[in-house]
Amino acid sequence: MLGSYNAQTLEGEPEEDVVMYVRQTYDPAPCFIRVLLLRGRMMGAVLIGDTGGLEETFENLILDRIDLSRWGPALLDPEFDVEDFFD
């Protein structure tokens, strides 16, 4: 669990400014990833199981406050190598 993974500290923010993307897979190994963006910037993430080493990348995205709006749900697409862009 990274940052404001459960939208804590985001009370009072307009709902339209908060976006959540989720990816859950079971094959080949169980994996659950949820990211929370506020105005396009990652505020928190939950990573459970075999997440392909995204923990450090997502931690850096939270700390750097990079605008991720243009990638949208592709951030969680296993074919999109987010680490190449942001690590």
Side-chain angles (χ1 to χ4, degrees):
M1 293 181 232
L2 303 170
S4 297
Y5 63 90
N6 206 20
Q8 63 274 35
T9 72
L10 298 180
E11 302 89 19
E13 295 291 346
E15 279 187 42
E16 60 272 7
D17 290 349
V18 180
V19 177
M20 187 180 315
Y21 300 120
V22 177
R23 182 180 99 199
Q24 186 170 3
T25 61
Y26 297 98
D27 188 35
C31 168
F32 176 85
I33 302 172
R34 181 180 69 201
V35 295
L36 183 70
L37 284 81
L38 175 65
R39 294 181 204 97
R41 286 153 173 63
M42 191 176 297
M43 300 301 292
V46 175
L47 298 104
I48 301 172
D50 183 15
T51 60
L54 292 173
E55 298 85 1
E56 186 176 345
T57 301
F58 283 2
E59 182 178 10
N60 289 332
L61 289 173
I62 292 168
L63 294 172
D64 293 342
R65 303 225 184 236
I66 297 170
D67 186 357
L68 305 169
S69 300
R70 67 186 238 189
W71 286 281
L75 288 168
L76 302 183
D77 185 341
E79 300 299 317
F80 179 74
D81 199 354
V82 69
E83 293 170 322
D84 284 348
F85 283 96
F86 303 110
D87 203 22

